[in-house]
Amino acid sequence: MKINSARLEQYFEAMSLIGKIGETGTCRPAHTELEKQGFEIAGSWMKEAGMTVRIDNFGNLIGRLEGKNPDLPVLMMGSHLDSQPYGGRFDGVAGVLCAIEVVKTLHENGIVPERSIEVISFADEEGWRFNKGLFGSRGILGKLEEGELERADAAGITRGQALVAFGCDITKFKDSEYQPGSIFCFLELHIEQGPILDLANKPIGVVSGISGPLWWTVKLKGMAGHTGSVPMPIRKDALVGAAEIIVAVNEIANQVPGNPTVGTVGTLNIFPASRNIIPEEVTFTVDLRDIDLERRNRYEKQLRDRIEFICAKHKLTYEISEDTKSDPRYCADWIKEIIHAECQKLQLDEIELMSGPFHDALALSYVCDYGMIFVRCKDGISHNPLEYASYEDLAIGANVLLGTVQQILNR
Ligand SMILES: [Zn+2]
């Protein structure tokens, strides 16, 4: 049994017109009329694939293919149809459309599985509109935090208002939550959003897990003074300290060949930011991610030691505040084995790799086993209208997903 690659291509072409920007870009923000249009067309394909379709109170689109035994925990798969404001046409979309095509193929072949299958487009995976992502996937698991509905977008519209306008009943979130044990496993196909598969010249990768991010805000304090008169040896220049720490983050993350760790300083605020005042205070963020928690902990210790040393050298004081510290979340071995076996049937010579970015699977990983399939994207470009995955590669990914679903249904 194989998916219909021409139909899959049509799904992508049709979806790319909704929120299209420029030649190849997409802007389809969460909980908007554009996302609703995306849901309507995806929902119509779900119906054609034999699924019943609903939009829940978190703004998730859910298609369900009823199994022979509807009481069994569901096999869930999906991703998201919302996009970055200046995004591409494959991020998230690939996981939803390939999952619909898989169910359509099963349905066409007259297969009625024992357990039900659900395909979900999770609401607001991207998180840029209200500065907090994975909304729909956290929502169904009862993991929203205090104040999330009061978060406002750039136009002053709150999440709660946007959901109500979308047609959601925000007083009835409980009705849309999944009970513990009701999800058997979760599968997500996604474009890699990095260059590893492209460099290795392979269409498909089996994901080993999602990296755990450690996010800090670091503040260094020195002393301001006249840049023309304060002699070098007695300065307390916070920016010189920050510069050395930025290099240290880069060196620490680069220790292992193959670079399984990534470390980034992405922001820098200098006070008072005058060309003739020695920088007194510098604030910057650190983002350190690794799939290996023990190694990340070791690197964290190294970085703390380096910061201590560098600040002592430049007579600075420092404060580190921890913004996020998540453990890496590993894919289930048994699902990885199935995905590998399906890749081998197609003679793909696949590799295993970790995911640096988060995905909805991260939220699901706390309640069920999960597996992810990565599809090669050109030059690793994503969150950019230039994002590109070929229809050939996407069809291969959908076939791997189809085989994986069949194996799981046979268990
Ligand atoms: Zn995504």
Side-chain angles (χ1 to χ4, degrees):
M1 200 189 299
K2 286 275 179 294
I3 61 107
N4 181 330
S5 55
R7 183 170 57 210
L8 182 62
E9 194 172 323
Q10 283 164 13
Y11 289 167
F12 277 100
E13 289 293 321
M15 191 58 72
S16 74
L17 300 177
I18 301 170
K20 183 175 180 181
I21 50 169
E23 280 299 298
T24 58
T26 303
C27 175
R28 198 164 45 236
H31 319 320
T32 60
E33 196 46 47
L34 284 170
E35 193 190 39
K36 184 60 100 26
Q37 284 174 30
F39 280 10
E40 272 160 15
I41 189 164
S44 72
W45 299 328
M46 287 172 166
K47 282 181 190 145
E48 285 167 18
M51 292 184 262
T52 54
V53 179
R54 66 184 197 272
I55 294 174
D56 74 3
N57 289 325
F58 301 107
N60 296 310
L61 172 72
I62 305 172
R64 179 178 168 99
L65 183 76
E66 197 77 347
K68 285 180 202 147
N69 188 348
D71 295 334
L72 287 176
V74 295
L75 191 171
M76 186 183 276
M77 53 183 166
S79 197
H80 59 97
L81 291 173
D82 70 308
S83 80
Q84 285 287 321
Y86 188 65
R89 44 162 90 171
F90 302 100
D91 175 3
V93 174
V96 177
L97 300 189
C98 290
I100 294 173
E101 176 55 31
V102 163
V103 175
K104 173 86 180 169
T105 305
L106 294 173
H107 185 63
E108 269 180 346
N109 283 274
I111 292 172
V112 182
E114 274 301 307
R115 67 173 78 250
S116 304
I117 301 177
E118 291 189 348
V119 176
I120 302 202
S121 172
F122 287 109
D124 198 7
E125 187 272 350
E126 296 287 1
W128 58 272
R129 186 174 172 198
F130 301 100
N131 263 310
K132 184 124 183 131
L134 304 183
F135 179 78
S137 47
R138 288 184 299 111
I140 62 163
L141 305 175
K143 293 213 169 140
L144 296 184
E145 289 162 19
E146 204 64 24
E148 289 211 28
L149 294 183
E150 284 74 51
R151 286 172 170 270
D153 68 6
I157 299 167
T158 65
R159 166 98 68 189
Q161 289 166 338
L163 283 169
V164 169
F166 200 71
C168 300
D169 186 342
I170 57 173
T171 66
K172 290 190 174 151
F173 280 162
K174 278 271 170 256
D175 293 355
S176 296
E177 287 176 10
Y178 280 65
Q179 296 310 309
S182 61
I183 304 169
F184 179 65
C185 68
F186 179 71
L187 300 175
E188 183 165 2
L189 176 149
H190 206 283
I191 57 165
E192 183 203 333
Q193 303 184 284
I196 292 172
L197 292 173
D198 200 21
L199 288 170
N201 200 21
K202 294 180 193 294
I204 300 295
V206 180
V207 177
S208 52
I210 300 174
S211 277
L214 175 67
W215 285 0
W216 285 348
T217 301
V218 182
K219 187 192 270 188
L220 306 184
K221 200 156 179 3
M223 193 161 151
H226 198 298
T227 54
S229 57
V230 180
M232 298 305 282
I234 63 162
R235 290 188 178 198
K236 298 177 181 175
D237 185 331
L239 187 54
V240 174
E244 290 187 20
I245 294 168
I246 292 168
V247 173
V249 168
N250 192 268
E251 284 172 356
I252 287 169
N254 255 308
Q255 290 173 88
V256 177
N259 308 93
T261 317
V262 286
T264 311
V265 173
T267 69
L268 193 65
N269 282 299
I270 303 162
F271 175 83
S274 158
R275 71 166 62 213
N276 51 1
I277 302 177
I278 297 162
E280 176 161 287
E281 205 174 278
V282 175
T283 309
F284 55 93
T285 54
V286 172
D287 176 336
L288 186 69
R289 304 190 196 201
D290 204 308
I291 192 66
D292 181 336
L293 184 59
E294 191 269 328
R295 183 171 54 216
R296 194 193 72 193
N297 288 339
R298 206 164 65 239
Y299 287 180
E300 175 184 352
K301 170 83 170 60
Q302 288 178 9
L303 184 56
R304 285 182 185 274
D305 291 348
R306 291 281 286 274
I307 291 173
E308 177 75 36
F309 174 83
I310 290 163
C311 287
K313 184 168 96 182
H314 296 289
K315 300 176 285 289
L316 308 171
T317 58
Y318 69 93
E319 258 171 59
I320 299 174
S321 54
E322 194 178 272
D323 304 315
T324 294
K325 190 176 195 174
S326 305
D327 289 353
R329 302 295 296 174
Y330 302 101
C331 293
D333 285 333
W334 68 273
I335 300 179
K336 276 195 314 189
E337 278 164 28
I338 291 174
I339 300 172
H340 274 298
E342 290 305 312
C343 287
Q344 259 139 49
K345 281 184 201 163
L346 298 171
Q347 293 168 333
L348 293 177
D349 192 24
E350 80 290 355
I351 50 171
E352 201 166 308
L353 72 173
M354 64 152 199
S355 175
F358 309 158
H359 300 288
D360 291 301
L362 178 69
L364 272 296
S365 76
Y366 288 91
V367 299
C368 64
D369 286 347
Y370 83 102
M372 285 193 75
I373 298 164
F374 268 173
V375 175
R376 161 171 62 188
C377 66
K378 192 168 185 307
D379 301 325
I381 296 170
S382 183
H383 285 193
N384 182 326
L386 296 175
E387 178 181 281
Y388 176 78
S390 75
Y391 288 134
E392 293 75 30
D393 286 357
L394 289 161
I396 294 169
N399 275 316
V400 172
L401 184 62
L402 173 65
T404 303
V405 167
Q406 286 177 284
Q407 294 302 323
I408 291 175
L409 291 174
N410 284 339
R411 292 206 158 214

